[in-house]
Amino acid sequence: MDDMSRKPNALDLHVPSPRTRPGDKPDFSGWSFPEPGDTPRPDIDESAVELREYAYGLIRVLDMEGNALGPWTPHLAPETLRRAIKYMLLLRAYDERMHRAQRQGKTSFYMQSLGEEAISIAQAMALNADDMCFPSYRQQGILIARDYPLIDMMHQVYSNASDPMRGRQLPVMYSSKKDGFFTISGNLATQVPQAVGWAMASAYAGDGRICATWLGEGSTAEGDFHAAMTFAAVYRAPVIINVVNNQWAISSFQGIAGGENTTFAARGVGYGMPPLRVDGNDFLAVYAVTQWAAERARANLGPTLIEHFTYRGGPHSTSDDPARYRPADEKASWPLGDPIDRLKTHLISIGEWSEGQHKEAQEDAQETVRATGREAEKVGVLSVEAPSTHTRASMFEDVYKDLPWHLRQQRDEHGV
Amino acid sequence: MATMTMIQALNSALDNMMERDPNVLTFGEDVGYFGGVFKVTEHLQKKYGAKRCFDAPINENGIAGVAVGMAAYGLRPVIEIQFADYMYPAYDQLVSEAARLRYRSAGDFTAPLTVRMPYGGGIRGGQTHSQSPEALFTHVAGLKTVIPSTPYDAKGLLISAIEEDDPVIFMEPKRIYNGPFDGFHDRQVSPWSKHPASDVPEGYYKIPLGKANIVRPGEAVTVLAYGTMVHVAKAAAEESGIDAEVIDLRTLLPVDIDTIVASVEKTGRCVIVHEATRTSGYGAELSALVQEHCFYKLEAPIQRVTGYDTPYPHSLEWEYFPTPPRIIKAMRAVVDA
């Protein structure tokens, strides 16, 4: 170390840092995106190499005035779009309520998906109901769009006696096999190679179902992402790997995950996988790229990598305060807007929605959440005064299919 | 009946299970066309096709992660980690995922997979071809850990492991793949064909998990062992003339506590033998169990004969490996106490 100053050299350790920090004015001025409608829609059997430009572009359908433009327009029935916006409103209302419930001490933890609603809702709607999802912890919209009972989601968050996970899992770590929603793990990116394995199994069994998985841009730095990309490409697994680039991994901006000089979609090119990059706040664009990737997978043409370019509107979790590392009003300045507002503008512009209907749908969603919340809280919430009424013995169950002697002994020692 | 080595017996188990159950498939590095670096999967690809037995990229994390996903789908994957020394990249998938799927999803998802891995020393394998990491698995709630010591047991236990609805770590003592090594490295090693447990039925049979096997009845001291050490401990008993009862645990978790306790209550003495390093090794758990269950019957402190708390050395292998003289010394110490 003493010798470091001995002779001059050009080496200097580079540590990426975001352009703005708390107190700064949000600045997205360096960013430019293709215009909505400008990106061609390739055939589903196009090779990854031919599609490499897509890794550096951005597929967009909706302009900021609500017009749907270009070849990626999915031409959905107005009824479908109204259903979509209602799901998104329900998801947002649910997030608001559960975030507040944590603040009120009714549960230990919560994570919102504020600003990312279009991704989980559009993708769940574009997939078949029996396609399998391996989500991260910020795709609760899949359950909403699959009409999973809201009250069961609340029971899970409250860890109460009706919690389908029997009080074993941290809030938001949902699981529902019958709804094609894989059990969420706290360990990041582990679900991605698992999704590839599930897709390989489906291809092996020949049952026609495909699989989709989600991870944040921060988690792409995990070795599991590399493993999953390699296996998916090698075995041409019918899987859609979604990177939700919401710019932030807790306090680390996406440059720390390796996004400073490239895109996350571009990772796909190196593995020989079509790399689609999409405006994640554009419901129609997300729906369309998901359809494209799903068609490709169903035709046995293999996996697709999709990068959803979006912005994490809320704190990382209830344990996080983003004002300590990013400008407070960044979400409002996000150049790609808010996903609900954009779909609303579109629906109004095509004469299939109105401010009045929107307000009514919003209030409906809030009332549904309120009423369901009251029911869930009657069963119980997590707190010191009112511990869950789970039978204490259930703690020892499901470690194995059958209770081995040592767990039976420990259960007996515990007096249950 | 046929005469089989442990490799052939394991191959036969896979063959039987692939024949019986279309949900059983196997993959790993060099497992497919080549039939595995130890030939455990030989001919399986030819017989069952590349979709049932295939080569994997060199990525243990991926192999394990993909297997968890396949198991969640409903298949029964049997994966091979080429050497136990290389399981560490797969550890997160095995510990955080495979072991916990059932618990965290309240039985919604399960992981009926089998993870085969050759382990153990005595082959001049040096630091990364000799390790015995079983304690890293027995410490994990939700995993079962199995180690056979003969061709007959290897086949019956592997079939049980594959049929098990919980994830099973199946560790294969590679030193005894071809013959029952007794720890006398300077003597001629006899082939499996001279050992009665090389008589292996060609068809389907099972040996239940969680059941130990008394391989040498005795009255003077109980010796708890598994894998290669079963043969070393038995040789030590013969050589020393001490009437030791040698128990092959076969399943480490859940361990057969009843057989252990019955034996130690009879002998009043216990020696625990394993190749793995001592501190926090599986022997510590065995020692604690014996102490908890047999305290008033014990006539002497429990002794552990293990690998030393060092990485596995190359040239000093026979200084490191628990050979019969070290086991005899420990047996004498407890018998004379």
Side-chain angles (χ1 to χ4, degrees):
Chain A
M1 293 303 275
D2 305 6
D3 290 337
M4 278 184 75
S5 58
R6 197 176 56 187
K7 56 183 177 183
N9 69 48
L11 299 181
D12 184 28
L13 179 68
H14 173 66
V15 179
S17 78
R19 191 182 297 197
T20 54
R21 285 295 194 187
D24 297 335
K25 200 171 139 39
D27 178 13
F28 299 109
S29 59
W31 295 14
S32 66
F33 308 111
E35 290 300 315
D38 273 4
T39 309
R41 188 182 192 276
D43 292 336
I44 56 164
D45 60 356
E46 201 67 88
S47 74
V49 166
E50 289 300 319
L51 296 170
R52 62 186 177 275
E53 294 304 319
Y54 286 80
Y56 303 100
L58 198 70
I59 294 166
R60 304 176 66 195
V61 171
L62 285 172
D63 69 13
M64 300 316 263
E65 286 73 50
N67 301 301
L69 303 168
W72 284 95
T73 305
H75 301 293
L76 298 173
E79 178 46 39
T80 307
L81 295 177
R82 280 192 291 267
R83 201 150 50 89
I85 203 160
K86 286 176 187 170
Y87 282 142
M88 286 161 79
L89 287 168
L90 183 60
L91 169 54
R92 190 165 287 185
Y94 172 71
D95 273 350
E96 278 167 8
R97 166 102 191 179
M98 301 320 283
H99 186 81
R100 206 166 56 245
Q102 190 277 339
R103 293 293 186 245
Q104 294 164 342
K106 291 174 182 169
T107 188
S108 61
F109 183 74
Y110 192 70
M111 300 176 103
Q112 304 175 75
S113 62
L114 179 65
E116 301 173 34
E117 293 93 342
I119 299 163
S120 56
I121 302 284
Q123 297 206 275
M125 290 178 73
L127 293 168
N128 291 344
D130 64 351
D131 288 334
M132 185 69 193
C133 298
F134 283 75
S136 80
Y137 46 65
R138 223 184 289 280
Q139 283 82 44
Q140 55 267 50
I142 296 166
L143 287 172
I144 301 257
R146 287 188 165 175
D147 298 316
Y148 181 82
L150 200 64
I151 194 160
D152 287 338
M153 294 175 75
M154 290 178 168
H155 289 322
Q156 198 282 330
V157 171
Y158 289 143
S159 263
N160 65 21
S162 297
D163 172 8
M165 263 82 264
R166 309 182 82 181
R168 293 176 186 151
Q169 271 273 49
L170 203 63
V172 314
M173 307 281 180
Y174 312 101
S175 172
S176 180
K177 191 174 185 176
K178 71 173 174 49
D179 296 288
F181 191 93
F182 187 72
T183 161
I184 295 174
S185 170
N187 297 61
L188 297 179
T190 51
Q191 73 277 12
V192 189
Q194 293 164 2
V196 173
W198 194 98
M200 288 169 69
S202 178
Y204 166 79
D207 79 354
R209 297 165 70 193
I210 63 164
C211 181
T213 182
W214 290 259
L215 75 164
E217 89 287 347
S219 300
T220 63
E222 292 282 6
D224 291 82
F225 179 65
H226 167 66
M229 293 294 284
T230 302
F231 279 71
V234 166
Y235 301 107
R236 282 191 213 162
V239 62
I240 305 171
I241 299 178
N242 296 287
V243 175
V244 180
N245 177 5
N246 65 12
Q247 315 302 322
W248 293 96
I250 308 185
S251 73
S252 299
F253 90 118
Q254 54 94 20
I256 292 291
E260 202 174 32
N261 302 309
T262 185
T263 69
F264 294 94
R267 309 280 195 249
V269 184
Y271 294 91
M273 203 182 293
L276 302 184
R277 193 158 177 269
V278 64
D279 174 354
N281 291 13
D282 177 343
F283 181 90
L284 297 183
V286 173
Y287 193 102
V289 296
T290 308
Q291 262 187 327
W292 187 93
E295 275 177 49
R296 183 179 168 95
R298 275 186 236 289
N300 207 35
L301 294 165
T304 299
L305 177 70
I306 302 175
E307 175 185 348
H308 302 264
F309 198 66
T310 185
Y311 184 83
R312 194 192 77 211
H316 164 71
S317 72
T318 47
S319 308
D320 175 47
D321 174 13
R324 290 169 57 200
Y325 52 80
R326 70 183 189 186
D329 49 350
E330 229 184 25
K331 180 181 187 292
S333 314
W334 180 245
L336 299 172
D338 178 89
I340 297 181
D341 290 348
R342 286 180 65 193
L343 186 59
K344 172 190 160 193
T345 309
H346 171 64
L347 270 169
I348 291 175
S349 80
I350 59 172
E352 297 288 351
W353 199 240
S354 67
E355 289 290 353
Q357 277 173 291
H358 191 79
K359 191 161 177 286
E360 197 183 320
Q362 205 167 17
E363 283 166 3
D364 277 356
Q366 284 160 352
E367 182 46 36
T368 300
V369 168
R370 254 196 306 274
T372 312
R374 277 194 297 270
E375 290 305 308
E377 288 177 28
K378 269 188 220 162
V379 178
V381 296
L382 183 73
S383 71
V384 179
E385 295 75 26
S388 80
T389 53
H390 288 290
T391 58
R392 292 152 73 213
S394 84
M395 176 165 74
F396 300 94
E397 292 164 12
D398 295 325
V399 179
Y400 300 92
K401 186 180 181 188
D402 303 310
L403 203 63
W405 72 266
H406 66 286
L407 279 176
R408 189 172 302 117
Q409 186 187 59
Q410 288 167 34
R411 188 189 64 185
D412 294 349
E413 272 171 27
H414 196 64
V416 290
Chain B
M1 282 291 200
T3 302
M4 295 190 198
T5 65
M6 187 180 281
I7 288 169
Q8 291 163 333
L10 292 164
N11 180 268
S12 174
L14 287 164
D15 191 357
N16 265 270
M17 287 311 294
M18 290 174 82
E19 182 85 50
R20 284 171 76 91
D21 183 353
N23 288 330
V24 174
L25 74 172
T26 186
F27 61 101
E29 295 155 20
D30 304 295
V31 160
Y33 183 86
F34 184 59
V37 295
F38 292 108
K39 299 289 168 208
V40 172
T41 55
E42 196 161 34
H43 307 308
L44 295 176
Q45 185 177 81
K46 199 170 178 194
K47 185 166 176 187
Y48 297 101
K51 287 169 200 159
R52 304 263 327 260
C53 174
F54 55 88
D55 293 321
I58 303 173
N59 187 320
E60 292 77 14
N61 175 15
I63 291 168
V66 157
V68 171
M70 286 179 166
Y73 177 93
L75 302 185
R76 289 188 180 273
V78 183
I79 57 171
E80 177 181 302
I81 303 294
Q82 203 159 71
F83 287 84
D85 314 62
Y86 304 135
M87 71 82 186
Y88 304 106
Y91 199 58
D92 187 33
Q93 283 288 346
L94 297 176
V95 174
S96 309
E97 302 295 318
R100 293 166 192 225
L101 277 199
R102 182 188 293 277
Y103 191 75
R104 78 170 190 235
S105 70
D108 201 18
F109 290 94
T110 59
L113 74 146
T114 304
V115 186
R116 294 183 37 245
M117 57 180 83
Y119 89 100
I123 57 149
R124 288 281 189 231
Q127 293 187 24
T128 58
H129 299 80
S130 306
Q131 295 170 32
S132 299
E134 65 272 15
L136 297 180
F137 295 113
T138 55
H139 188 56
V140 179
L143 298 179
K144 294 190 172 181
T145 301
V146 176
I147 299 182
S149 71
T150 66
Y152 183 84
D153 283 1
K155 179 171 174 180
L157 288 168
L158 182 55
I159 288 175
S160 287
I162 296 169
E163 290 194 342
E164 180 72 28
D165 289 329
D166 292 309
V168 178
I169 306 298
F170 194 89
M171 298 177 66
E172 301 166 4
K174 60 187 173 295
R175 183 62 183 83
I176 55 171
Y177 265 159
N178 290 304
F181 177 61
D182 63 8
F184 289 106
H185 58 92
D186 44 357
R187 298 183 191 168
Q188 181 82 30
V189 175
S190 72
W192 274 118
S193 57
K194 295 192 175 156
H195 192 285
S198 67
D199 268 352
V200 179
E202 294 188 43
Y204 171 94
Y205 68 93
K206 294 209 292 186
I207 293 176
L209 304 189
K211 293 276 176 237
N213 186 25
I214 299 171
V215 296
R216 186 193 187 283
E219 301 293 330
V221 51
T222 298
V223 180
L224 302 178
Y226 46 89
T228 304
M229 285 301 135
V230 171
H231 303 280
V232 181
K234 223 173 126 193
E238 306 298 344
E239 195 86 2
S240 66
I242 296 171
D243 186 21
E245 178 149 294
V246 180
I247 298 180
D248 175 3
L249 297 175
R250 299 199 289 200
T251 300
L252 272 50
L253 192 86
V255 76
D256 184 353
I257 189 70
D258 295 341
T259 300
I260 294 172
V261 169
S263 177
V264 176
E265 288 196 336
K266 177 178 71 176
T267 63
R269 293 171 164 85
C270 184
V271 171
I272 295 158
V273 188
H274 61 59
E275 291 177 62
T277 51
R278 182 169 308 166
T279 301
S280 303
Y282 186 63
E285 180 63 30
L286 290 173
S287 177
L289 286 173
V290 170
Q291 186 275 136
E292 284 161 13
H293 287 81
C294 312
F295 183 78
Y296 296 106
K297 296 285 174 74
L298 282 174
E299 306 280 345
I302 302 158
Q303 289 250 359
R304 284 181 285 165
V305 184
T306 68
Y308 296 118
D309 285 341
T310 70
Y312 200 104
H314 184 238
S315 69
L316 299 173
E317 173 143 62
W318 303 115
E319 301 297 315
Y320 177 90
F321 190 92
T323 48
R326 280 175 59 196
I327 299 173
I328 293 168
K329 196 174 157 198
M331 289 194 299
R332 285 209 200 291
V334 295
V335 170
D336 296 345

